[in-house]
């Protein structure tokens, strides 16, 4: 066997064992393992941290704290038509609900004018959520279930084209970028024609990304933590392109930043998040008809 054939055989053998030199810091064997065990690692995370993992997201309804205008409603405004006299509740779908840090504050502010579908692919998170006394209070208005948005069809749990608002807060970053389009297509399938996806997640250049070492890097802007959970950091133009592939149109997008100063070390650091609003992409007469018959805002993204 010639040298070229030997080198080729060696590369194939290395590829099978995952020992080839990685393009980034983590070898392919481990990249694939973290992907296979994503749900398992998040399940362990919630078993360990429970309700202590995250704070309730009261900021999301207040524009003064970089919240969303689309969530700035009270009990009298929660109906889908915007009229307190409507019998149809506004329907919200929360992706990656964890233990209820988003869904429960929303329900508390809106009462019976809101119905929330909430899911997570970590069974322990859903289990803890359902055991909370707050869930018992709102159980008639809250459908909580286990689902992997990258592989399970949401249609098994949520009626197609029935959701007014999808909440996608710090969830897509935990998913492999190779599966982002599939996840977004799944969400688009249950969104009303005039519904919106509200997105907030880590932006490229965020302090958290800069703190990762190369040995933790899975792919471009994609890293793994010590507990096996992963984090992706988004660029605006790439997120817009990904959403377009999934049939979602960008309506607004911006970077939210916060400067942090360590006076003792004289260090200036920046937290960066990408915040955006997307709607179902529409063309031609359907778009004009919807614009004339609803309050949907249709406008292009700006940097």
């Amino acid at each position: 066997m010639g040298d070229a054939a030997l080198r080729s055989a060696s590369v194939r053998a290395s590829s099978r064992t995952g020992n080839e030199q990685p393009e980034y810091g983590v070898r392919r064997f481990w990249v694939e393992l973290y992907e296979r065990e994503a749900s398992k690692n998040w399940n362990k995370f919630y078993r360990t941290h429970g309700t202590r993992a995250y704070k309730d997201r009261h900021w999301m309804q207040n524009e003064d704290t970089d919240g969303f205008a689309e969530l700035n409603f009270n009990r009298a405004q929660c109906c889908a038509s915007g009229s307190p006299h409507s019998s149809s509740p506004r329907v919200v779908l929360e992706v990656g609900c964890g233990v209820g840090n988003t869904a429960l504050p929303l329900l508390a502010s809106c009462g019976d004018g809101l119905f929330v579908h909430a899911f997570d692919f970590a069974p322990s998170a859903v289990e803890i959520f359902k055991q909370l006394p707050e869930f018992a209070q709102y159980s008639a208005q809250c459908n909580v279930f286990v689902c992997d948005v990258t592989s399970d069809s949401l249609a098994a749990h949520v009626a197609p084209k029935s959701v007014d608002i999808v909440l996608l807060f710090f969830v897509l970053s935990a998913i492999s970028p190779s599966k982002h389009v599939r996840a977004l297509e799944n969400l688009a399938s249950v969104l009303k024609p005039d519904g919106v996806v509200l997105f907030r997640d880590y932006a490229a250049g965020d302090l958290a990304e800069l703190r990762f070492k190369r040995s933790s890097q899975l792919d471009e802007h994609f890293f793994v933590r010590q507990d096996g959970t992963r984090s992706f950091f988004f660029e605006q133009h790439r997120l817009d392109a990904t959403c377009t592939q999934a049939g979602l149109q960008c309506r607004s997008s911006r970077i939210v930043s916060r400067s942090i100063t360590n006076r003792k070390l004289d260090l200036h650091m920046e937290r960066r998040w990408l915040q955006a609003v997307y709607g179902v992409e529409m063309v031609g007469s359907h778009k004009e008809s919807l614009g004339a018959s609803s309050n949907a805002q249709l406008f292009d993204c700006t940097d």
Side-chain angles (χ1 to χ4, degrees):
M1 183 181 292
D3 290 345
L6 285 171
R7 285 196 297 271
S8 178
S10 176
V11 168
R12 289 196 299 271
S14 295
S15 178
R16 288 194 296 270
T17 59
N19 291 325
E20 76 281 6
Q21 187 64 30
E23 181 179 359
Y24 297 97
V26 179
R27 295 186 184 277
R28 181 166 40 169
F29 170 84
W30 292 102
V31 172
E32 294 173 351
L33 182 65
Y34 290 131
E35 176 62 29
R36 290 195 303 271
E37 297 190 345
S39 176
K40 178 181 177 181
N41 289 329
W42 278 106
N43 204 52
K44 288 181 179 179
F45 175 88
Y46 282 107
R47 288 282 185 209
T48 301
H49 300 287
T51 57
R52 304 182 305 277
Y54 302 108
K55 297 180 180 179
D56 287 351
R57 290 172 174 153
H58 296 289
W59 58 266
M60 62 187 165
Q61 291 181 277
N62 188 347
E63 291 182 81
D64 294 335
T65 55
D66 294 312
F68 291 88
E70 292 81 359
L71 294 177
N72 189 17
F73 43 70
N74 54 36
R75 288 175 182 267
Q77 298 168 328
C78 273
C79 294
S81 66
S83 168
H85 304 294
S86 171
S87 60
S88 300
R90 194 177 301 237
V91 179
V92 170
L93 171 66
E94 186 190 1
V95 187
C97 64
V99 296
N101 298 101
T102 299
L104 292 174
L106 268 182
L107 286 164
S109 68
C110 292
D112 56 9
L114 186 70
F115 188 91
V116 175
H117 298 285
F119 70 89
D120 203 289
F121 79 157
S124 61
V126 172
E127 179 184 343
I128 293 169
F129 190 159
K130 288 184 174 182
Q131 290 176 349
L132 295 174
E134 295 89 346
F135 173 75
Q137 180 180 353
Y138 298 111
S139 59
Q141 301 161 241
C142 193
N143 171 34
V144 183
F145 55 96
V146 176
C147 179
D148 183 344
V149 73
T150 69
S151 59
D152 301 331
S153 174
L154 280 172
H157 304 277
V158 182
K161 299 181 180 180
S162 65
V163 174
D164 295 289
I165 299 174
V166 171
L167 304 181
L168 195 55
F169 297 161
F170 300 98
V171 175
L172 208 59
S173 58
I175 297 173
S176 171
S178 65
K179 295 184 175 182
H180 285 176
V181 172
R182 168 59 186 141
L184 291 166
E185 287 175 338
N186 210 357
L187 298 177
S189 72
V190 300
L191 199 62
K192 289 181 179 179
D194 60 345
V196 292
V197 176
L198 306 184
F199 176 92
R200 179 155 170 156
D201 219 319
Y202 304 109
D206 177 49
L207 174 62
E209 180 179 20
L210 301 180
R211 284 178 168 172
F212 277 112
K213 297 179 180 179
R214 178 176 170 77
S215 58
S216 299
Q217 189 167 6
L218 303 166
D219 205 334
E220 185 177 14
H221 299 302
F222 195 34
F223 300 84
V224 62
R225 303 182 183 92
Q226 289 185 341
D227 61 2
T229 62
R230 300 167 301 171
S231 187
F232 183 77
F233 297 83
F234 292 89
E235 296 174 292
Q236 285 178 289
H237 68 283
R238 290 191 177 183
L239 177 62
D240 290 346
T242 299
C243 288
T244 298
Q245 289 183 60
L248 294 170
Q249 179 186 47
C250 182
R251 300 187 178 183
S252 66
S253 180
R254 66 190 179 101
I255 294 292
V256 177
S257 60
R258 292 284 183 274
S259 294
I260 301 173
T261 301
N262 186 322
R263 295 180 180 178
K264 182 177 180 180
L265 300 177
D266 193 27
L267 292 176
H268 300 277
M269 300 163 287
E270 187 176 31
R271 296 305 314 269
R272 289 167 55 84
W273 302 279
L274 179 53
Q275 186 157 311
V277 179
Y278 293 90
V280 177
E281 191 172 11
M282 295 167 288
V283 295
S285 59
H286 178 64
K287 180 176 178 179
E288 294 174 3
S289 173
L290 179 61
S293 62
S294 74
N295 294 323
Q297 291 179 297
L298 302 174
F299 51 90
D300 293 331
C301 265
T302 55
D303 292 335

